[in-house]
Amino acid sequence: MATATKIVQRLRNFLAGRDLQAKLQLRYDEIAKRTQPPPKLPVGPSHKFANNYYCTRDGRRESVPATIVMSQQKALTAGSEVAKTTKAPVTPGTVYEPPPLSTDQPYL
């Protein structure tokens, strides 16, 4: 459409009943610019230049469990034994029995 001559453009606009080129000028405001500003990303584990292997790029892999500095449980000393306690076996509850149906009402 942009390579058509002026005569062909006017004939086409006359037969269409409207200006077909009007929408094309608005199109350039909707399209993203060719030169984009660089993204502003925070520095993370993948921004290293060396020792940046595929398996270590994920920041979640670099997290480790918390280090226990002090525990409230008493540590066992060498030669001490812990008293073994036996648990009672778990027994299931009662079996569900559905309530009996009423005999005086018709079955729906």
Side-chain angles (χ1 to χ4, degrees), residues 4 12 15 23 30 38 55 59-60 66 69 72 74-75 78 84:
R12 184 186 56 219
L15 294 175
K23 182 65 178 168
E30 298 170 359
C55 61
R60 295 172 291 181
V69 176
Q72 293 181 359
K74 291 185 178 181
K84 296 181 180 178

Side-chain angles (χ1 to χ4, degrees), residues 4-71:
T5 61
K6 293 287 184 183
I7 297 170
V8 174
Q9 286 179 0
R10 288 183 183 140
L11 178 64
R12 184 186 56 219
N13 292 339
F14 175 73
L15 294 175
R18 61 186 179 96
D19 186 13
L20 296 175
Q21 294 285 353
K23 182 65 178 168
L24 294 177
Q25 294 173 359
L26 300 176
R27 177 181 67 173
Y28 295 111
D29 294 336
E30 298 170 359
I31 297 176
K33 305 292 182 202
R34 283 186 179 261
T35 56
Q36 294 288 326
K40 298 176 182 175
L41 298 174
V43 176
S46 299
H47 285 78
K48 297 184 282 187
F49 288 116
N51 197 16
N52 189 10
Y53 298 105
Y54 180 77
C55 61
T56 60
R57 274 189 217 152
D58 192 4
R60 295 172 291 181
R61 293 178 192 258
E62 291 188 2
S63 63
V64 293
T67 306
I68 299 175
V69 176
M70 182 177 166
S71 176

